[in-house]
Amino acid sequence: MTQDMTALPLSVHPSGTPAVATAPTAKAPAAAKARKTASHGAHDLNRNRGVDAALWVYILLAYAFVFAPIAASFIFSFNSDRFPSIPLGEISLDWYRAVATDPLVWEGLRNTLFVGVITGVVSTLLGFGAAYTDYRYKFAGKQVYLALALLPPTIPVIIMGLAMLAYLSRVNLSGNALSVIISHVVVCAPFAMAITRLRLSQMDPALEPAAWNLGASEWQTMRHVIIPFCKPAIFGALFITMAVSFDEFAVAWFVSGLNETLPVKVLGFLQGQVSPRINAIGTFVFVTSMTLVILAQLLLSNRDAKFRNTSGE
Amino acid sequence: MKKTHLPGASGAVTRRALLATGAAALAMPMLSRRAFAAPTELTMLAWYGHAEPDIVAEFEAEHNVKFVPKYYTGGDNMLGLISQSPAGTFDVILSDAEYVQALNAAGYVEELDPNDYALSDYFPEFQNFPGNWQDGKLFSLVTRFGFLGVAYNTDALTEAEAASYDVFWDPKLTGKVGHFDWHLPNLGQMSLTAGNAAAYDIDEAGWEAVKEKTMSLRSQIGGFFDYGGTFSSLNDGQMLAFAGIGDWITGVLEKNGAKVRSTIPEQGGLQWSECFSIGKGSQKADLAKKWIQYITSAKGQAKSAQMAAYPAIVPNAKGWEVLQAENPAEAKRQGMTKDAGNAMDLIRAGRIQYRQWPIQQDLETWNDFWSEYKGA
Amino acid sequence: MRSRISLYGLTFSLPLLLWQLLFFVFPLLFLVALSFWTVKNFTMRPDFDTVNWVTIYGRAVFWQAYATTFVMAALAALLTSALAFPAAYAIAFKLSDTARRWAVFLMVIPFFTSYLVRVYSWQIFLSDNGIINVLLGGIGLGPFPMLNTVGATMVGFLTLCFPLVVLLQLFSLAFIDRTLIEAAHNMRCGRLRTVFEVVIPSARVGLSIAALFAFILCFGDFVSPVYLGGGEPTTLSILITDTTKSGQQWPRAAVIALTMIATLLVVAFAAIRFAYKGRSK
């Protein structure tokens, strides 16, 4: 799925972007010339080696920042000391053992996966619908509709949690995986919508009417024009919403009752005992999801390569 | 986890199909929980640690029970959870003594029969523990308690220095004093420091003195921490002294080799107490009763005193004896010996006061002041 | 044509509407009602009393926390955007396709590790005897107090937002017509000027949305202020927890929450208006 996101620049035809449409005509000859140079490849853009080197260093620093806590968590998960400190204690698998032998952790993991996958799919579907509605239709009360669609993530999670619990328990939906899914979709659908909407705003507004004029029905146009165009965003949305759900602990803490998800368990470890089990769980989940993402990456790039070959690009 | 792979696993195929590819493999050990000969599930609402194996494993094996804990992070948090869950959700409820009355008043707990429990083994002070009884009826049973005083880093302070709350104002601790983030124990200690005889029963003048004293400490403070944050900031020397806590934190750290300890300072210490109740509408009240019997028995009490998550003193005199035989070092460390100056002597000498709700002010008044203090 | 109600249109617009009505608006209305309830003796009871609004709005602590939270979230949004942009820019324009694919892939990984775990891990770096101070000590510097400061909270906010912001920025940069940039260069437009006059305006929607997300996430986050900032200064999320930590004052917490919601609404609409300003939809 990541693959699809990166593939974006390849799949967009330059003239399809609004930027070109608004480009001042005076620049047209230069642009034509530029297009010629650009066809030699992206590296033609690189002119100043000093700046490029600086940017490279910057990228490395950015990734160092992002990965520092992950790496530390990985290292300390093998540390025998209960409280992480330098220098390290002995290498040990105790924390993994503690996690692996805790049936509640396994149950939490199962709940998390179950909730995350369903939340991802439902949120993406709802979000896509809303984004398309915003893109295509103008109607009275649209502002209200958009507010409804985008507002939930702005609610502080702790209050969202209580409001959801109070409400769901009144309609007998609290304390199980379903209640977590319901709340998570509320929070995640706006993310899916924002991502899809961003993609739709890159679509040539003439594309859809053009398809209709060629005799395609609305449904056919959706299926053969819009959905393929949005596919990267749909996968992106699916993936982001799942990730949001996997990581959400506050609302889940309230509504999950006794069916806790893994992040709720981790919150408990953090608040209640500060145990390196946090690191062990983090590392385990990390390695597992890495494996899945790499697999997806390999599968998709394989398919993508085939696609590119056949399309003669 | 026992390595039994169960028949239950095969029935889960459709659900597994919904999960991401890799999840299938993960699902195996998870499902194996179902492999146990279907133990009865007993739900417990408690502070972290009370349903961990070091405490419940023996009871679980004896009665073929599996505890399903929901750990909370504070009394109000607990009340919020109970009030929003259907009656009967929680079989066993552990609560701080302050909240026991609120549980009673709201009708969240069942009445207990005092004859079911080894109350006569308890020290007399704990047989009629305040809040446990209401109109001559027993609603909860105190199971463990501990003292709150000055927690300090033994590299930074001597025991003599830590023998008074005044040490928090020591210039060498600027930015190194931490608060456990709850107004009740902190303001109680400030009340004692300000010279109030009864920490929580203070008139307007006494309250003004508490506020003034507390505010004067503000510039010394390095942070406000929850349970976990308190642990780590004391352990790594981030904070060198802590208000509002005691051995329930430093005891654990000490066991892990950290150089921290708690004292009961000259102005006196406070006492926290944890009580067990049976949740209203519990379908397994009998089993819940068995659990409370177990954990308040001499054997259970010795276990409870040594709980891995955080140690505590127990109110059962016979429990002390079992602990002395089992783990004399820990009995000595926590003052549960026959020696003079033991935990009960401290209480009897009037050095310890119960942590409780403010008597002459509203709870809100205290809480609002605490927020102001934090924001100052 | 555009406004005609059809089965087709409803298929896409209705599901989200229904879901959010049922599971978002109703709980929210309940929250509004809750803010007028009263609390006696740890028990909330339905009521219509403005006491909670009057109490909260009358407290200096609340307004102070409000200002703090707003400024910190705004700062975090700006900081994250500013720090993320060179990275997003470099990934978009300086890397080969393969390298870019991997760069995105790597930036996605943090989503799969818990934010809680990462914050916990930062404690190990930032504490007085932590990794950074040990390293600095090796060259005779420090120790510098870092944990339990606003700076540490910002590190937490960056941890929370940075990958998302980079991805969103990248997403919008990817759509910029490269020929436009080449054109600018050929017109002897300097590198920096090109970035500010061509790249950033073209990517404005994405950049604004990314900053908005960062603001929203930081405004409501309680993990970084508590676990890295040491609970200081008091943010609104901390104030909410405090309010509920004693005496079941959920109605007052609801007042704070509703104020936060209103604020975020205003900010979100302002940001979106800014993002799409002058663009034909």
Side-chain angles (χ1 to χ4, degrees):
Chain A
M1 34 191 132
T2 29
Q3 143 67 27
D4 270 13
M5 289 176 68
T6 41
L8 283 178
L10 302 173
S11 55
V12 183
H13 195 274
S15 62
T17 65
V20 157
T22 56
T25 42
K27 285 188 181 170
K33 189 181 166 201
R35 202 166 286 147
K36 225 161 144 193
T37 10
S39 64
H40 292 300
H43 288 283
D44 282 8
L45 287 169
N46 302 346
R47 290 178 188 174
N48 185 328
R49 283 177 187 280
V51 174
D52 287 346
L55 282 173
W56 262 103
V57 171
Y58 192 86
I59 293 188
L60 291 180
L61 283 177
Y63 281 95
F65 173 80
V66 168
F67 281 91
I70 299 172
S73 154
F74 180 78
I75 291 165
F76 281 94
S77 69
F78 295 103
N79 184 23
S80 59
D81 297 342
R82 169 164 172 194
F83 292 96
S85 61
I86 304 222
L88 294 167
E90 288 161 35
I91 292 182
S92 116
L93 287 173
D94 287 357
W95 306 113
Y96 287 92
R97 211 167 292 131
V99 167
T101 53
D102 186 345
L104 292 171
V105 167
W106 288 104
E107 183 126 340
L109 182 60
R110 197 193 60 173
N111 286 335
T112 305
L113 289 172
F114 182 70
V115 166
V117 170
I118 295 183
T119 299
V121 171
V122 176
S123 311
T124 304
L125 289 175
L126 295 180
F128 176 84
Y132 180 70
T133 305
D134 177 40
Y135 166 78
R136 159 120 190 244
Y137 296 99
K138 285 198 169 72
F139 51 90
K142 185 166 164 185
Q143 292 292 335
V144 179
Y145 180 83
L146 288 182
L148 270 188
L150 290 170
L151 211 51
T154 68
I155 311 297
V157 280
I158 176 167
I159 286 298
M160 183 85 160
L162 184 89
M164 291 307 275
L165 174 59
Y167 173 73
L168 291 177
S169 66
R170 256 147 241 253
V171 292
N172 272 334
L173 275 173
S174 77
N176 51 43
L178 184 62
S179 51
V180 184
I181 292 172
I182 287 174
S183 323
H184 277 185
V185 169
V186 168
V187 177
C188 292
F191 287 91
M193 166 170 176
I195 292 164
T196 317
R197 185 65 186 84
L198 208 60
R199 177 67 173 151
L200 280 169
S201 72
Q202 314 290 346
M203 193 166 86
D204 189 334
L207 209 54
E208 203 181 12
W212 299 333
N213 288 342
L214 291 171
S217 74
E218 284 183 318
W219 292 102
Q220 283 168 328
T221 310
M222 171 58 70
R223 175 145 181 257
H224 296 290
V225 176
I226 303 197
I227 289 181
F229 184 82
C230 289
K231 207 173 88 184
I234 291 173
F235 277 106
L238 183 67
F239 162 74
I240 295 275
T241 51
M242 265 163 65
V244 170
S245 168
F246 282 148
D247 200 20
E248 205 290 320
F249 46 88
V251 178
W253 191 93
F254 280 97
V255 300
S256 65
L258 293 164
N259 294 292
E260 296 184 338
T261 58
L262 202 53
V264 176
K265 278 246 123 36
V266 171
L267 181 66
F269 285 138
L270 190 61
Q271 286 180 323
Q273 53 173 148
V274 194
S275 157
R277 286 188 230 185
I278 297 172
N279 291 328
I281 294 179
T283 302
F284 173 76
V285 172
F286 170 69
V287 169
T288 311
S289 39
M290 278 281 283
T291 315
L292 287 176
V293 174
I294 290 176
L295 274 177
Q297 173 91 348
L298 289 176
L299 283 174
L300 282 167
S301 62
N302 213 358
R303 204 182 63 189
D304 194 61
K306 262 186 230 154
F307 173 77
R308 230 172 297 159
N309 285 341
T310 51
S311 66
E313 194 179 324
Chain B
M1 168 163 299
K2 314 221 159 99
K3 286 219 165 136
T4 27
H5 283 292
L6 295 160
S10 60
V13 170
T14 43
R15 183 175 310 165
R16 231 186 289 153
L18 287 169
L19 303 177
T21 352
L26 299 175
M28 287 301 282
M30 295 189 282
L31 291 167
S32 70
R33 243 195 103 205
R34 298 187 185 159
F36 297 92
T40 315
E41 289 194 340
L42 198 60
T43 55
M44 183 198 288
L45 184 62
W47 283 99
Y48 172 78
H50 283 269
E52 292 302 292
D54 64 303
I55 297 293
V56 300
E58 191 184 73
F59 180 83
E60 285 184 337
E62 264 173 35
H63 295 89
N64 192 27
V65 167
K66 176 73 207 155
F67 270 103
V68 180
K70 178 79 181 177
Y71 293 129
Y72 58 77
T73 54
D76 271 76
N77 177 300
M78 166 198 76
L79 285 176
L81 267 177
I82 300 182
S83 64
Q84 300 304 336
S85 309
T89 303
F90 303 106
D91 299 312
V92 182
I93 298 170
L94 178 98
S95 112
D96 280 301
E98 294 90 337
Y99 287 93
V100 162
Q101 276 150 327
L103 287 177
N104 279 354
Y108 293 148
V109 292
E110 299 275 1
E111 189 187 338
L112 305 177
D113 182 351
N115 299 321
D116 285 340
Y117 308 97
L119 267 177
S120 55
D121 291 348
Y122 272 37
F123 290 107
E125 286 83 351
F126 290 93
Q127 294 182 1
N128 287 302
F129 197 68
N132 283 0
W133 297 79
Q134 183 112 28
D135 307 326
K137 291 177 184 165
L138 183 68
F139 286 93
S140 63
L141 198 53
V142 59
T143 170
R144 61 209 300 265
F145 62 95
F147 302 144
L148 309 171
V150 173
Y152 67 103
N153 185 307
T154 53
D155 280 347
L157 299 175
T158 64
E159 192 171 349
E161 284 175 304
S164 163
Y165 291 118
D166 295 332
V167 74
F168 293 144
W169 281 264
D170 190 324
K172 73 179 172 191
L173 293 183
T174 303
K176 289 292 186 182
V177 180
H179 275 301
F180 179 66
D181 192 5
W182 187 29
H183 63 90
L184 206 58
N186 287 290
L187 294 182
Q189 291 187 339
M190 292 300 129
S191 181
L192 290 171
T193 316
N196 292 317
Y200 294 95
D201 192 359
I202 52 177
D203 58 14
E204 226 18 62
W207 172 234
E208 285 306 319
V210 170
K211 291 206 278 189
E212 197 184 323
K213 193 77 197 166
T214 311
M215 273 301 179
S216 73
L217 183 60
R218 187 64 182 85
S219 56
Q220 292 286 92
I221 299 306
F224 298 83
F225 303 91
D226 67 3
Y227 187 5
T230 303
F231 263 113
S232 41
S233 56
L234 256 180
N235 178 71
D236 58 16
Q238 197 68 36
M239 294 297 137
L240 297 176
F242 239 92
I245 59 165
D247 192 58
W248 68 285
I249 298 269
T250 53
V252 184
L253 293 171
E254 228 180 331
K255 228 185 281 175
N256 276 275
K259 293 179 173 139
V260 290
R261 199 165 296 157
S262 298
T263 62
I264 307 299
E266 59 195 31
Q267 296 94 334
L270 302 171
Q271 180 187 322
W272 58 268
S273 327
E274 290 173 345
C275 311
F276 267 119
S277 317
I278 299 177
K280 191 71 146 193
S282 162
Q283 301 295 306
K284 297 155 191 161
D286 255 8
L287 209 50
K289 183 181 82 183
K290 282 206 180 87
W291 163 252
I292 299 179
Q293 284 170 339
Y294 171 85
I295 200 66
T296 57
S297 72
K299 184 172 66 166
Q301 288 275 282
K303 230 184 234 299
S304 183
Q306 308 173 68
M307 189 166 99
Y310 56 106
I313 309 168
V314 290
N316 186 323
K318 295 230 170 94
W320 284 33
E321 286 165 19
V322 176
L323 181 68
Q324 284 156 14
E326 260 179 21
N327 189 348
E330 181 64 10
K332 186 164 172 357
R333 201 188 64 79
Q334 291 206 57
M336 283 184 269
T337 60
K338 296 194 176 69
D339 305 339
N342 67 23
M344 288 313 294
D345 287 346
L346 277 177
I347 294 177
R348 286 166 187 162
R351 300 258 288 122
I352 304 291
Q353 300 187 17
Y354 295 132
R355 193 182 65 198
Q356 56 185 313
W357 300 129
I359 292 169
Q360 299 186 38
Q361 291 81 32
D362 277 342
L363 182 56
E364 283 172 27
T365 311
W366 280 46
N367 196 35
D368 288 355
F369 171 69
W370 185 247
S371 296
E372 259 157 54
Y373 172 66
K374 287 172 72 178
Chain C
M1 175 82 182
R2 284 207 151 207
S3 56
R4 207 180 60 201
I5 296 172
S6 65
L7 175 69
Y8 173 79
L10 291 180
T11 308
F12 293 99
S13 56
L14 264 191
L16 183 92
L17 186 69
L18 289 179
W19 192 282
Q20 300 299 52
L21 269 182
L22 220 68
F23 299 121
F24 177 60
V25 175
F26 286 178
L28 213 60
L29 290 177
F30 179 75
L31 197 62
V32 175
L34 187 70
S35 75
F36 293 99
W37 287 20
T38 50
V39 177
K40 266 263 152 61
N41 225 347
F42 295 99
T43 319
M44 288 184 270
R45 60 183 66 166
D47 204 338
F48 190 83
D49 195 324
T50 53
V51 63
N52 303 306
W53 291 88
V54 173
T55 316
I56 291 291
Y57 280 16
R59 290 181 63 193
V61 171
F62 168 73
W63 294 109
Q64 196 184 325
Y66 184 89
T68 310
T69 313
F70 194 95
V71 169
M72 279 172 71
L75 199 65
L78 287 178
L79 197 68
T80 314
S81 296
L83 290 176
F85 185 76
Y89 177 84
I91 294 171
F93 297 119
K94 299 294 166 192
L95 297 187
S96 67
D97 290 345
T98 319
R100 181 161 54 241
R101 191 161 300 158
W102 279 103
V104 170
F105 168 59
L106 288 172
M107 205 45 96
V108 156
I109 286 173
F111 289 99
F112 280 105
T113 55
S114 165
Y115 173 47
L116 287 169
V117 171
R118 284 178 287 152
V119 161
Y120 174 64
S121 196
W122 273 118
Q123 289 187 346
I124 309 172
F125 281 90
L126 299 174
S127 75
D128 284 2
N129 305 309
I131 296 173
I132 294 178
N133 272 318
V134 166
L135 289 179
L136 287 176
I139 53 169
L141 292 174
F144 298 102
M146 285 179 282
L147 191 59
N148 304 326
T149 63
V150 177
T153 307
M154 283 293 158
V155 168
F157 284 164
L158 272 174
T159 306
L160 178 64
C161 308
F162 189 81
L164 180 68
V165 170
V166 169
L167 288 177
L168 288 175
Q169 289 185 344
L170 189 58
F171 207 79
S172 58
L173 289 178
F175 291 115
I176 297 179
D177 184 0
R178 277 143 192 267
T179 60
L180 205 58
I181 298 168
E182 275 305 306
H185 282 305
N186 291 345
M187 305 281 289
R188 307 227 178 283
C189 180
R191 279 188 92 92
L192 264 183
R193 227 182 114 200
T194 311
V195 168
F196 281 103
E197 294 190 3
V198 178
V199 177
I200 291 182
S202 312
R204 191 176 67 199
V205 175
L207 300 186
S208 316
I209 299 286
L212 175 63
F213 267 111
F215 182 86
I216 290 170
L217 287 174
C218 299
F219 195 70
D221 179 45
F222 69 92
V223 173
S224 283
V226 169
Y227 291 100
L228 294 175
E232 287 193 280
T234 307
T235 62
L236 288 177
S237 52
I238 293 178
L239 197 61
I240 285 184
T241 349
D242 278 4
T243 313
T244 58
K245 225 190 261 182
S246 202
Q248 295 292 293
Q249 284 294 352
W250 289 101
R252 288 191 190 183
V255 172
I256 304 176
L258 289 169
T259 311
M260 292 176 80
I261 293 167
T263 306
L264 288 167
L265 258 183
V266 172
V267 171
F269 273 98
I272 288 166
R273 174 156 289 197
F274 171 77
Y276 287 98
K277 189 175 62 180
R279 279 187 69 150
S280 53
K281 276 212 196 169

